[in-house]
Amino acid sequence: MTSTDPYLTSRLQGFGTTIFTEMSALARRHDAVNLGQGFPDFDPPSALVQAAEAAMAAGHNQYAPGRGVPSLRQAIADHDRRNYALDFDPDTEVIVTTGATEAMFASVQALVEAGDEVVVFEPVYDVYPAAIAMVGATVVGVPLRPVEEAGARVWRFDPDDLEAAVTERTRAILLNSPHNPTGTVFSTGGLQAIADVATRHDLLVVTDEVYEHLVYDDERHTPIATLPGMRERTVRISSAGKTFSVTGWKVGWACAPAPVAAAIEAAKQWITFTSGTPFQHAIAEALSWGESYTAPLAAEYQARRDVLIDGLDDVGLGRTSSTSTYFVTADVRTLGFADDVDFCQRLPAEVGVAAIPCSVFHASPEDGRGWVRFAFCKSESLLAEGLERLRTGLPRMARSAP
Ligand code: PMP
Ligand code: GLN
């Protein structure tokens, strides 16, 4: 996972290959069921594919405007008003990007100076530390830890740790809720604590909400921009990849107050200039489907979540609750394995399943030691096959555990 490529700049030394690429390559090599990298193995809605085909046939094949095609910016503004009563001006406060990944990268490029500090919650999605390093700023981690809450085991941070992480050099807090890899939605109290710190220290909050429609049971997702005083200091990022099962289309966006949005656009124009035109037209159409599309989507994912957690419980893997995203985290130490990275490197060959080790999402891997992420964005038959392999293979692997 670390790299010694002599051509690689010092900024990028140590990041190596993404864990998702590494584990998917291992899965392919061993013909393993890939419960690692989070991408659906099923098709997106056919109406969406037809909308993209129609956009291409209608001649939407050249550069889009830098900020995105007007119909998509309008659809994003309508979506946020309808779902969260958030008012963004589609002409000045919405920037379409090449996935949420570019929205995050361009936000950091635009808003963070070399030498600044940026607070993240660990385990942290791997893109954020890399984006922060590429701008020459420093990552400061605040730990999420599993705690018992109302009969569930969820991941929470201690507000004192957040307060302690902020210095006079802190520029921004990067927040991901619903949270990858834990499957936890930040609590109202947690969001309020972040808002309090951001307001008191005059910080920007860049929030990655790509799993906003993948929320289960009676959990609710609240964009932090809806909290008092937060809209003017928040960049709200989302993406079509998860909501419409098109992770390969890479259509994302950032919504922010006009001057912040202008700064993000200024960065984006030098990164990709514009993003895939026909896909933007198709997503503009899909965003208008509203709850008649997102409610059944969440119900289907909740059923898949149930299949996965039942299977993990069956094999005796201690796990936390998952009320969002398409992930469940489990502690492999409950079956006698000492190390998550070693576990995930052996699992494809010895059991025929791939998963993601979570210690790589920490600046100090020791902080995440033992935790592994399983994805359930897979067809029922693939999930069943993966779980059957775990049921028969894991006890064998445990007997030879180091
Ligand atoms: N943020 C999070 C938290 C993710 O899990 C992912 C990956 N699926 C992304 C961003 C990437 O989104 P996109 O593919 O739209 O760039
Ligand atoms: N976001 C997806 C995941 O967490 C994968 C993205 C990637 O491969 N970089 O699994």
Side-chain angles (χ1 to χ4, degrees), residues 99-101 125 128 176 180 208 210-211 239 242 250:
T101 307
Y125 185 56
Y128 313 169
N176 168 219
N180 176 10
D208 174 346
V210 299
Y211 298 101
S239 154
K242 316 295 179 262
K250 300 297 288 187

Side-chain angles (χ1 to χ4, degrees), residues 108-158:
V108 172
Q109 286 289 329
L111 306 171
V112 176
E113 293 283 3
D116 283 351
E117 291 176 357
V118 180
V119 172
V120 303
F121 295 90
E122 291 187 329
V124 61
Y125 185 56
D126 59 355
V127 160
Y128 313 169
I132 294 165
M134 280 193 266
V135 86
T138 305
V139 179
V140 180
V142 171
L144 296 171
R145 298 191 184 91
V147 298
E148 298 292 331
E149 199 178 276
R153 204 158 171 233
V154 295
W155 295 76
R156 297 283 183 239
F157 72 93
D158 181 339

